[in-house]
Amino acid sequence: MRRSSSSDARKKDTREKIELGGLIVKAGLRYEKRALLLGLLIDGHRRIGDDQAERARLTAIGAEAFGRDHD
């Protein structure tokens, strides 16, 4: 039972990483260097902080990009 639980957790973690990688591709950043990607993410995390307006702005951009998938 314990081994199955561990395997399920690994599968879930792997799936999550694949989905996150897909976001990089969707954003058009597939061929950028990893250091740049990490820098963008760290900078974005610092910028949004507790700024709810910036979070809302970026969420709207992302939602619009996801919405284009269904057209």
Side-chain angles (χ1 to χ4, degrees), residues 13-32:
D13 182 62
T14 298
R15 183 79 206 139
E16 187 176 80
K17 288 174 182 173
I18 290 168
E19 290 173 356
L20 291 170
L23 294 176
I24 296 296
V25 172
K26 182 149 186 64
L29 299 169
R30 176 190 298 245
Y31 301 109
E32 296 297 339

Side-chain angles (χ1 to χ4, degrees):
M1 183 74 175
R2 185 174 173 157
R3 184 175 288 168
S4 176
S5 176
S6 174
S7 176
D8 289 346
R10 278 196 323 273
K11 286 179 184 179
K12 182 179 176 188
D13 182 62
T14 298
R15 183 79 206 139
E16 187 176 80
K17 288 174 182 173
I18 290 168
E19 290 173 356
L20 291 170
L23 294 176
I24 296 296
V25 172
K26 182 149 186 64
L29 299 169
R30 176 190 298 245
Y31 301 109
E32 296 297 339
K33 292 182 178 182
R34 290 178 179 170
L36 173 67
L37 296 173
L38 184 56
L40 283 167
L41 293 169
I42 290 170
D43 182 58
H45 183 255
R46 288 176 181 161
R47 283 191 203 206
I48 60 173
D50 292 329
D51 186 343
Q52 295 305 315
E54 184 65 1
R55 284 177 177 270
R57 185 184 78 80
L58 293 172
T59 298
I61 291 170
E64 180 182 345
F66 278 127
R68 287 192 295 256
D69 284 349
H70 304 292
D71 290 342

